[in-house]
Amino acid sequence: MTIDGRTVLVVDDESPILKVIGSTLSSSGALVLTAETAAEALQVVARTPVDAILLDLGLPDRDGLEVIRE
């Protein structure tokens, strides 16, 4: 599977995880967007089309399953 040119949103409230996943995806050619809260993630997808989302289900402001439903 290639991710060159794909936009991926990574959502996690732990900065080290965002950095590792973001770096790995970037090195594979993806444009990586990040968010640390559910609210921030929803704002990102409202203004930017993404091809994939890697979502932590245990976010501090909202359950990740609620984010999926929205």
Side-chain angles (χ1 to χ4, degrees), residues 2 17 19 22 27 29 32-33 40 43 45 48 53 56-57 63-64:
T2 180
I17 291 174
K19 288 178 186 175
S27 69
V32 178
L33 306 173
E40 188 179 347
Q43 289 173 351
V45 297
T48 308
I53 301 173
D56 179 5
L57 296 180
D63 182 78

Side-chain angles (χ1 to χ4, degrees), residues 1-8 25-31 51:
M1 181 176 122
T2 180
I3 60 173
D4 283 340
R6 304 291 182 177
T7 302
V8 180
L25 291 171
S26 291
S27 69
S28 297
L31 170 62
D51 297 300

Side-chain angles (χ1 to χ4, degrees), residues 11-32:
V11 186
D12 199 296
D13 59 325
E14 295 183 40
S15 295
I17 291 174
L18 285 179
K19 288 178 186 175
V20 169
I21 294 173
S23 175
T24 302
L25 291 171
S26 291
S27 69
S28 297
L31 170 62
V32 178

